[in-house]
Coordinates of all heavy atoms in Angstrom, one line a residue:
M479 N 77.6 98.7 97.4 CA 77.8 99.2 98.7 C 79.3 99.4 98.9 O 80.1 98.5 98.6 CB 77.3 98.2 99.8 CG 77.5 98.7 101.2 SD 76.8 97.6 102.4 CE 77.9 96.3 102.4
T480 N 79.7 100.5 99.5 CA 81.1 100.7 99.9 C 81.0 101.0 101.4 O 79.9 101.0 102.0 CB 81.8 101.8 99.2 OG1 81.0 103.0 99.4 CG2 81.9 101.5 97.7
T481 N 82.1 101.3 102.1 CA 82.1 101.6 103.5 C 82.9 102.8 103.7 O 83.7 103.2 102.9 CB 82.7 100.4 104.3 OG1 84.0 100.2 103.9 CG2 81.9 99.1 104.2
Q482 N 82.6 103.4 104.9 CA 83.3 104.7 105.3 C 83.7 104.6 106.7 O 82.8 104.3 107.6 CB 82.3 105.8 105.0 CG 82.8 107.2 105.3 CD 81.7 108.2 105.0 OE1 81.2 108.3 103.9 NE2 81.4 109.0 106.0
P483 N 84.9 104.8 107.1 CA 85.3 104.7 108.5 C 84.7 105.9 109.4 O 84.6 107.0 108.8 CB 86.8 104.8 108.5 CG 87.2 105.2 107.2 CD 86.0 105.2 106.2
F484 N 84.4 105.6 110.6 CA 84.1 106.7 111.5 C 84.5 106.3 112.9 O 84.8 105.1 113.2 CB 82.5 106.9 111.5 CG 81.7 105.8 112.1 CD1 81.2 105.9 113.4 CD2 81.4 104.7 111.4 CE1 80.5 104.9 114.0 CE2 80.7 103.6 112.0 CZ 80.2 103.8 113.3
Q485 N 84.6 107.3 113.8 CA 85.0 107.0 115.2 C 83.8 106.8 116.1 O 82.9 107.6 116.0 CB 85.8 108.3 115.7 CG 87.1 108.5 115.1 CD 88.2 107.8 115.8 OE1 88.3 107.7 117.0 NE2 89.1 107.1 115.0
S486 N 83.8 105.7 116.8 CA 82.7 105.5 117.7 C 82.9 106.4 119.0 O 84.0 107.0 119.1 CB 82.6 104.1 118.1 OG 83.6 103.7 119.0
R487 N 81.9 106.4 119.9 CA 82.0 107.3 121.1 C 83.2 106.9 121.9 O 83.8 107.7 122.6 CB 80.7 107.2 121.9 CG 79.8 108.4 121.6 CD 78.5 108.3 122.3 NE 77.8 107.1 121.7 CZ 76.7 106.6 122.3 NH1 76.2 107.0 123.4 NH2 76.1 105.6 121.7
N488 N 83.5 105.6 122.0 CA 84.7 105.2 122.8 C 86.0 105.1 122.0 O 86.9 104.5 122.5 CB 84.4 103.9 123.5 CG 84.1 102.7 122.6 OD1 84.3 102.8 121.4 ND2 83.6 101.6 123.1
G489 N 86.0 105.8 120.9 CA 87.3 106.0 120.2 C 87.7 104.8 119.2 O 88.7 104.9 118.6
E490 N 86.8 103.8 119.1 CA 87.1 102.8 118.1 C 86.9 103.3 116.7 O 86.0 104.1 116.5 CB 86.2 101.6 118.3 CG 86.4 100.6 119.4 CD 85.3 99.6 119.5 OE1 84.2 100.0 119.8 OE2 85.6 98.5 119.2
T491 N 87.7 102.8 115.8 CA 87.4 103.1 114.4 C 86.5 102.0 113.8 O 86.8 100.8 113.9 CB 88.7 103.2 113.5 OG1 89.5 104.2 114.1 CG2 88.4 103.5 112.1
L492 N 85.3 102.4 113.4 CA 84.3 101.4 112.9 C 84.0 101.8 111.4 O 84.5 102.8 110.9 CB 83.0 101.4 113.7 CG 83.2 101.1 115.2 CD1 81.9 101.2 116.0 CD2 83.7 99.6 115.4
L493 N 83.2 101.0 110.8 CA 82.8 101.2 109.4 C 81.3 101.4 109.3 O 80.6 100.7 110.0 CB 83.3 100.0 108.5 CG 84.8 99.8 108.4 CD1 85.0 98.4 107.8 CD2 85.4 100.9 107.6
K494 N 80.9 102.3 108.5 CA 79.5 102.4 108.2 C 79.2 102.2 106.7 O 80.1 102.5 105.9 CB 78.9 103.7 108.7 CG 79.5 105.0 108.2 CD 78.8 106.1 108.9 CE 79.5 107.4 108.6 NZ 79.0 108.6 109.3
P495 N 78.1 101.6 106.3 CA 77.8 101.4 104.9 C 77.4 102.6 104.2 O 76.7 103.5 104.7 CB 76.7 100.4 105.0 CG 76.0 100.5 106.3 CD 77.0 101.1 107.2
V496 N 77.9 102.7 102.9 CA 77.5 103.8 102.0 C 76.8 103.1 100.9 O 77.3 102.2 100.2 CB 78.8 104.5 101.5 CG1 78.4 105.6 100.5 CG2 79.7 105.0 102.6
L497 N 75.5 103.4 100.7 CA 74.7 102.7 99.7 C 73.6 103.5 99.2 O 73.3 104.6 99.7 CB 74.2 101.3 100.3 CG 73.2 101.2 101.4 CD1 73.0 99.8 101.8 CD2 73.5 102.0 102.6
T498 N 73.1 103.1 98.0 CA 72.0 103.8 97.4 C 70.7 103.3 98.1 O 70.6 102.3 98.8 CB 71.9 103.4 95.9 OG1 71.6 102.0 95.8 CG2 73.1 103.7 95.2
E499 N 69.6 104.1 97.9 CA 68.3 103.7 98.5 C 67.8 102.4 98.0 O 67.2 101.6 98.8 CB 67.3 104.8 98.1 CG 67.1 105.8 99.2 CD 66.0 106.8 98.8 OE1 64.9 106.4 98.6 OE2 66.4 108.0 98.7
E500 N 68.1 102.1 96.8 CA 67.8 100.8 96.2 C 68.5 99.6 96.9 O 67.9 98.6 97.2 CB 68.1 100.8 94.7 CG 67.4 99.8 93.8 CD 67.7 100.0 92.4 OE1 67.7 101.2 91.9 OE2 68.0 99.0 91.7
E501 N 69.8 99.8 97.1 CA 70.5 98.8 97.8 C 70.0 98.7 99.3 O 69.9 97.6 99.8 CB 72.0 99.2 97.9 CG 72.8 99.0 96.6 CD 74.2 99.5 96.7 OE1 74.4 100.6 97.1 OE2 75.1 98.7 96.2
Y502 N 69.7 99.8 99.9 CA 69.2 99.8 101.3 C 67.9 98.9 101.3 O 67.7 98.1 102.2 CB 68.9 101.2 101.8 CG 68.2 101.2 103.1 CD1 68.8 100.9 104.3 CD2 66.8 101.4 103.1 CE1 68.1 100.9 105.5 CE2 66.1 101.4 104.3 CZ 66.8 101.1 105.5 OH 66.1 101.0 106.7
R503 N 67.0 99.2 100.3 CA 65.7 98.4 100.3 C 66.0 96.9 100.1 O 65.3 96.1 100.8 CB 64.8 99.0 99.2 CG 63.9 100.1 99.7 CD 62.8 100.4 98.8 NE 63.3 100.8 97.5 CZ 63.6 102.0 97.1 NH1 63.4 103.0 97.9 NH2 64.0 102.3 95.9
S504 N 66.9 96.6 99.2 CA 67.1 95.1 99.0 C 67.7 94.5 100.2 O 67.4 93.4 100.6 CB 67.8 94.9 97.7 OG 69.1 95.4 97.8
F505 N 68.7 95.2 100.9 CA 69.2 94.6 102.1 C 68.2 94.4 103.2 O 68.1 93.4 103.9 CB 70.3 95.5 102.7 CG 71.7 95.3 102.0 CD1 72.3 96.4 101.5 CD2 72.3 94.1 101.9 CE1 73.6 96.3 100.8 CE2 73.5 93.9 101.2 CZ 74.1 95.1 100.7
Q506 N 67.3 95.4 103.3 CA 66.2 95.3 104.3 C 65.3 94.1 104.0 O 64.9 93.4 104.9 CB 65.4 96.6 104.2 CG 64.6 97.0 105.4 CD 63.9 98.2 105.2 OE1 63.7 98.7 104.0 NE2 63.4 98.8 106.2
N507 N 65.0 93.9 102.7 CA 64.1 92.8 102.3 C 64.7 91.5 102.5 O 64.0 90.5 102.7 CB 63.6 93.0 100.9 CG 62.7 94.2 100.7 OD1 62.1 94.6 101.6 ND2 62.6 94.7 99.5
E508 N 66.0 91.4 102.3 CA 66.8 90.2 102.4 C 67.2 89.8 103.9 O 67.9 88.9 104.1 CB 68.1 90.2 101.6 CG 67.8 90.2 100.1 CD 69.0 90.6 99.3 OE1 70.1 90.8 99.9 OE2 68.9 90.8 98.1
Y509 N 66.7 90.6 104.8 CA 67.1 90.3 106.2 C 68.6 90.3 106.4 O 69.2 89.4 107.0 CB 66.5 89.1 106.8 CG 65.1 89.3 107.2 CD1 64.1 89.7 106.3 CD2 64.7 89.1 108.6 CE1 62.8 89.9 106.8 CE2 63.4 89.3 109.0 CZ 62.5 89.7 108.1 OH 61.2 90.0 108.5
A510 N 69.2 91.3 105.8 CA 70.7 91.4 105.9 C 71.0 92.3 107.0 O 70.3 93.2 107.4 CB 71.3 91.9 104.6
G511 N 72.2 92.1 107.5 CA 72.8 93.0 108.6 C 74.2 93.4 108.2 O 74.7 92.9 107.2
F512 N 74.7 94.3 108.9 CA 76.0 94.9 108.6 C 76.9 94.9 109.9 O 76.4 95.3 110.9 CB 75.9 96.3 108.0 CG 77.2 96.9 107.7 CD1 77.8 96.7 106.4 CD2 77.8 97.8 108.6 CE1 79.0 97.3 106.1 CE2 79.0 98.5 108.2 CZ 79.5 98.2 107.0
C513 N 78.1 94.5 109.7 CA 79.0 94.5 110.9 C 79.8 95.8 110.9 O 80.6 96.1 109.9 CB 80.0 93.3 110.8 SG 81.2 93.3 112.2
L514 N 79.6 96.6 111.9 CA 80.3 97.9 112.0 C 81.8 97.7 112.3 O 82.6 98.6 112.0 CB 79.8 98.7 113.2 CG 78.3 99.1 113.0 CD1 77.8 99.8 114.3 CD2 78.1 100.0 111.8
A515 N 82.2 96.5 112.7 CA 83.7 96.3 113.0 C 84.5 95.9 111.8 O 85.6 96.5 111.6 CB 83.8 95.2 114.1
C516 N 83.9 95.0 111.0 CA 84.7 94.6 109.8 C 84.1 94.9 108.5 O 84.7 94.7 107.4 CB 85.0 93.1 109.9 SG 83.6 92.1 109.7
G517 N 82.9 95.4 108.5 CA 82.2 95.8 107.2 C 81.6 94.7 106.4 O 81.2 94.9 105.3
E518 N 81.5 93.5 107.0 CA 80.9 92.4 106.3 C 79.4 92.4 106.4 O 78.9 92.9 107.4 CB 81.4 91.0 106.9 CG 82.8 90.6 106.5 CD 82.9 90.3 105.0 OE1 82.0 89.7 104.4 OE2 84.0 90.7 104.5
T519 N 78.8 91.9 105.4 CA 77.3 91.8 105.4 C 77.0 90.4 106.1 O 77.6 89.4 105.9 CB 76.8 91.8 103.9 OG1 77.3 92.9 103.3 CG2 75.3 91.8 103.9
A520 N 76.0 90.5 106.9 CA 75.5 89.3 107.6 C 74.1 88.9 107.1 O 73.4 89.8 106.6 CB 75.5 89.5 109.1
Y521 N 73.7 87.7 107.2 CA 72.3 87.3 106.8 C 71.5 86.7 107.9 O 72.1 86.4 109.0 CB 72.4 86.4 105.6 CG 73.0 87.1 104.4 CD1 74.4 87.1 104.1 CD2 72.2 87.9 103.6 CE1 74.9 87.9 103.1 CE2 72.7 88.7 102.6 CZ 74.0 88.7 102.3 OH 74.5 89.4 101.3
N522 N 70.2 86.6 107.7 CA 69.3 86.1 108.7 C 69.3 87.0 109.9 O 69.4 86.6 111.1 CB 69.5 84.7 109.1 CG 69.4 83.7 107.9 OD1 68.4 83.8 107.2 ND2 70.4 82.9 107.7
V523 N 69.3 88.3 109.7 CA 69.4 89.3 110.7 C 68.1 90.2 110.6 O 67.7 90.6 109.5 CB 70.6 90.2 110.5 CG1 70.6 91.4 111.5 CG2 71.9 89.4 110.7
E524 N 67.3 90.3 111.7 CA 66.1 91.1 111.6 C 66.5 92.6 111.3 O 67.6 93.0 111.8 CB 65.3 91.1 112.9 CG 64.8 89.7 113.3 CD 65.8 88.8 114.0 OE1 66.7 89.3 114.6 OE2 65.6 87.6 113.9
P525 N 65.6 93.3 110.7 CA 66.0 94.7 110.4 C 66.3 95.6 111.6 O 67.0 96.5 111.5 CB 64.7 95.2 109.7 CG 64.0 94.0 109.2 CD 64.3 92.9 110.1
D526 N 65.7 95.2 112.8 CA 66.0 96.0 114.0 C 66.9 95.3 114.9 O 67.0 95.6 116.1 CB 64.7 96.3 114.7 CG 63.9 95.0 115.2 OD1 64.3 93.9 114.8 OD2 63.0 95.1 116.0
A527 N 67.7 94.3 114.4 CA 68.7 93.6 115.2 C 69.8 94.5 115.7 O 70.2 95.5 115.0 CB 69.4 92.5 114.4
R528 N 70.3 94.2 116.9 CA 71.4 95.0 117.5 C 72.4 94.1 118.1 O 72.0 93.1 118.8 CB 70.9 95.9 118.6 CG 69.8 96.9 118.2 CD 69.3 97.6 119.5 NE 70.4 98.4 120.0 CZ 70.5 99.7 120.0 NH1 69.5 100.4 119.5 NH2 71.5 100.4 120.4
R529 N 73.7 94.4 117.9 CA 74.8 93.7 118.6 C 74.8 92.2 118.4 O 75.1 91.4 119.4 CB 74.7 94.0 120.1 CG 74.8 95.5 120.4 CD 75.0 95.7 121.9 NE 74.9 97.1 122.2 CZ 73.8 97.7 122.7 NH1 72.8 97.0 123.0 NH2 73.8 99.0 123.0
Y530 N 74.4 91.7 117.3 CA 74.6 90.3 117.0 C 76.1 90.0 116.8 O 76.8 90.9 116.4 CB 73.9 89.9 115.7 CG 72.4 89.7 115.9 CD1 71.7 90.2 116.9 CD2 71.7 89.0 114.9 CE1 70.3 90.0 117.1 CE2 70.3 88.7 115.0 CZ 69.6 89.3 116.1 OH 68.3 89.1 116.2
V531 N 76.5 88.8 117.1 CA 77.9 88.4 116.9 C 78.2 88.2 115.4 O 77.5 87.4 114.8 CB 78.2 87.2 117.8 CG1 79.7 86.7 117.5 CG2 78.1 87.6 119.3
C532 N 79.2 88.8 114.9 CA 79.6 88.7 113.5 C 80.3 87.3 113.3 O 81.2 86.9 114.0 CB 80.6 89.8 113.2 SG 81.2 89.7 111.5
E533 N 79.9 86.6 112.2 CA 80.5 85.3 111.9 C 81.9 85.5 111.3 O 82.7 84.6 111.4 CB 79.6 84.6 110.9 CG 78.4 84.0 111.5 CD 77.5 83.3 110.5 OE1 77.9 83.0 109.3 OE2 76.3 83.1 110.8
T534 N 82.2 86.7 110.8 CA 83.5 86.9 110.3 C 84.5 87.3 111.3 O 85.6 86.7 111.4 CB 83.4 88.0 109.1 OG1 82.5 87.5 108.2 CG2 84.8 88.1 108.4
C535 N 84.2 88.3 112.2 CA 85.2 88.8 113.1 C 84.9 88.5 114.6 O 85.7 88.8 115.5 CB 85.4 90.3 112.9 SG 84.0 91.3 113.5
S536 N 83.7 87.8 114.8 CA 83.3 87.4 116.2 C 83.0 88.5 117.1 O 82.9 88.3 118.3 CB 84.4 86.5 116.8 OG 84.6 85.4 116.0
K537 N 82.9 89.7 116.6 CA 82.6 90.9 117.5 C 81.0 91.1 117.4 O 80.4 90.9 116.4 CB 83.3 92.1 117.0 CG 84.8 92.0 117.3 CD 85.5 93.3 116.9 CE 87.0 93.2 117.1 NZ 87.7 94.2 116.4
P538 N 80.5 91.5 118.6 CA 79.0 91.8 118.6 C 78.7 93.1 118.0 O 78.2 94.0 118.7 CB 78.7 91.7 120.1 CG 80.0 92.2 120.8 CD 81.1 91.8 119.9
K539 N 78.9 93.3 116.7 CA 78.8 94.6 116.1 C 77.9 94.5 114.8 O 77.9 95.4 114.0 CB 80.1 95.1 115.6 CG 81.1 95.4 116.7 CD 80.8 96.7 117.3 CE 81.8 97.2 118.4 NZ 81.3 98.3 119.2
V540 N 77.0 93.4 114.8 CA 76.1 93.3 113.6 C 74.8 93.9 113.9 O 74.2 93.6 115.0 CB 76.0 91.8 113.2 CG1 74.9 91.7 112.1 CG2 77.3 91.2 112.7
Y541 N 74.3 94.8 113.1 CA 73.1 95.5 113.2 C 72.2 95.3 112.0 O 72.8 95.2 110.9 CB 73.3 97.0 113.4 CG 73.9 97.3 114.8 CD1 75.3 97.2 115.0 CD2 73.1 97.8 115.8 CE1 75.8 97.4 116.2 CE2 73.7 98.1 117.1 CZ 75.0 97.9 117.3 OH 75.6 98.2 118.5
G542 N 70.9 95.3 112.1 CA 70.0 95.3 111.0 C 70.1 96.6 110.3 O 70.4 97.6 110.9
F543 N 69.7 96.6 109.0 CA 69.8 97.9 108.3 C 68.8 99.0 108.8 O 69.2 100.2 108.8 CB 69.7 97.6 106.8 CG 71.0 97.3 106.1 CD1 71.4 95.9 106.1 CD2 71.8 98.2 105.6 CE1 72.6 95.6 105.6 CE2 73.0 97.9 105.1 CZ 73.4 96.6 105.1
E544 N 67.6 98.6 109.2 CA 66.7 99.6 109.7 C 67.3 100.2 111.0 O 67.1 101.4 111.2 CB 65.4 98.9 110.1 CG 64.2 99.5 109.5 CD 63.0 98.5 109.6 OE1 62.5 98.4 110.7 OE2 62.5 98.0 108.6
E545 N 67.9 99.4 111.8 CA 68.5 99.9 113.0 C 69.6 100.9 112.7 O 69.8 101.9 113.4 CB 68.9 98.7 113.9 CG 69.4 99.0 115.3 CD 68.3 99.6 116.2 OE1 67.1 99.3 115.9 OE2 68.6 100.3 117.1
L546 N 70.4 100.5 111.7 CA 71.5 101.4 111.4 C 71.0 102.7 110.9 O 71.6 103.8 111.2 CB 72.4 100.7 110.2 CG 73.2 99.5 110.6 CD1 73.7 98.8 109.4 CD2 74.4 99.9 111.5
L547 N 69.9 102.7 110.2 CA 69.4 104.0 109.7 C 68.9 104.8 110.8 O 69.2 106.0 110.9 CB 68.2 103.7 108.7 CG 67.7 104.9 107.9 CD1 68.8 105.3 106.9 CD2 66.4 104.5 107.1
L548 N 68.2 104.2 111.8 CA 67.8 104.9 113.0 C 68.9 105.5 113.8 O 68.8 106.6 114.4 CB 67.0 104.0 113.9 CG 65.6 103.5 113.5 CD1 65.0 102.5 114.5 CD2 64.7 104.7 113.4
M549 N 70.0 104.8 113.8 CA 71.2 105.2 114.5 C 72.0 106.2 113.7 O 73.1 106.6 114.1 CB 72.1 104.0 114.9 CG 71.5 103.1 115.9 SD 72.2 101.4 115.9 CE 73.9 101.8 116.1
N550 N 71.5 106.5 112.5 CA 72.2 107.5 111.6 C 73.6 107.0 111.2 O 74.6 107.7 111.0 CB 72.4 108.8 112.3 CG 72.4 110.0 111.4 OD1 72.0 109.8 110.2 ND2 72.8 111.1 111.8
L551 N 73.7 105.7 111.0 CA 75.0 105.0 110.6 C 74.9 104.5 109.2 O 75.6 103.6 108.8 CB 75.3 103.9 111.6 CG 75.7 104.4 113.0 CD1 76.1 103.2 113.9 CD2 76.9 105.4 112.9
I552 N 74.0 105.0 108.4 CA 74.0 104.7 107.0 C 74.2 105.9 106.1 O 73.6 107.0 106.5 CB 72.7 104.0 106.6 CG1 72.7 102.6 107.1 CG2 72.5 104.0 105.0 CD1 71.4 101.8 106.7
V553 N 75.1 105.9 105.2 CA 75.3 107.0 104.3 C 74.5 106.7 103.0 O 74.9 105.8 102.3 CB 76.8 107.3 104.0 CG1 76.9 108.5 103.1 CG2 77.5 107.5 105.3
L554 N 73.4 107.4 102.7 CA 72.7 107.1 101.5 C 73.2 108.1 100.4 O 73.4 109.2 100.6 CB 71.2 107.4 101.7 CG 70.4 106.3 102.5 CD1 69.0 106.7 102.7 CD2 70.5 104.9 101.8
Q555 N 73.5 107.5 99.2 CA 74.0 108.2 98.1 C 73.0 108.8 97.3 O 72.0 108.2 97.0 CB 74.9 107.3 97.3 CG 76.2 106.9 97.9 CD 77.0 105.9 97.1 OE1 76.3 105.1 96.5 NE2 78.3 106.0 97.2
Ligands
ZN656 ZN1 82.6 91.6 111.7

């Protein structure tokens, strides 16, 4: 997995994950989440989680991978 910066609606620069379908499936199965603020992977996150607080940067920007896909914030390679 790599990351790609993008601008959010309120002008913040955030990161979205760039990953293969295989990586996406394993993250989904492992209950992993992704922090849009710092790009860290989080664990014990439901696939449809939204706005969980990130353990790394303390911002409420952790989303489950299914939710990220619905929000069109995953780049599949
Ligand atoms: Zn973070």
Side-chain angles (χ1 to χ4, degrees):
M479 178 176 77
T480 58
T481 58
Q482 183 179 302
F484 71 100
Q485 291 272 318
S486 73
R487 261 174 293 167
N488 59 13
E490 280 175 293
T491 301
L492 299 175
L493 295 167
K494 57 185 171 184
V496 179
L497 70 184
T498 63
E499 264 180 62
E500 202 176 312
E501 286 175 311
Y502 172 77
R503 274 194 299 272
S504 64
F505 279 127
Q506 199 183 18
N507 292 338
E508 287 165 10
Y509 277 64
F512 179 84
C513 176
L514 296 176
C516 69
E518 283 295 321
T519 307
Y521 293 94
N522 300 312
V523 173
E524 293 85 23
D526 63 349
R528 304 176 62 111
R529 300 193 189 97
Y530 280 20
V531 173
C532 176
E533 284 178 16
T534 304
C535 71
S536 303
K537 290 183 184 162
K539 294 281 187 194
V540 174
Y541 290 78
F543 274 86
E544 233 166 69
E545 189 65 23
L546 289 169
L547 192 68
L548 287 176
M549 290 161 53
N550 209 17
L551 291 180
I552 286 183
V553 183
L554 286 175
Q555 289 173 324

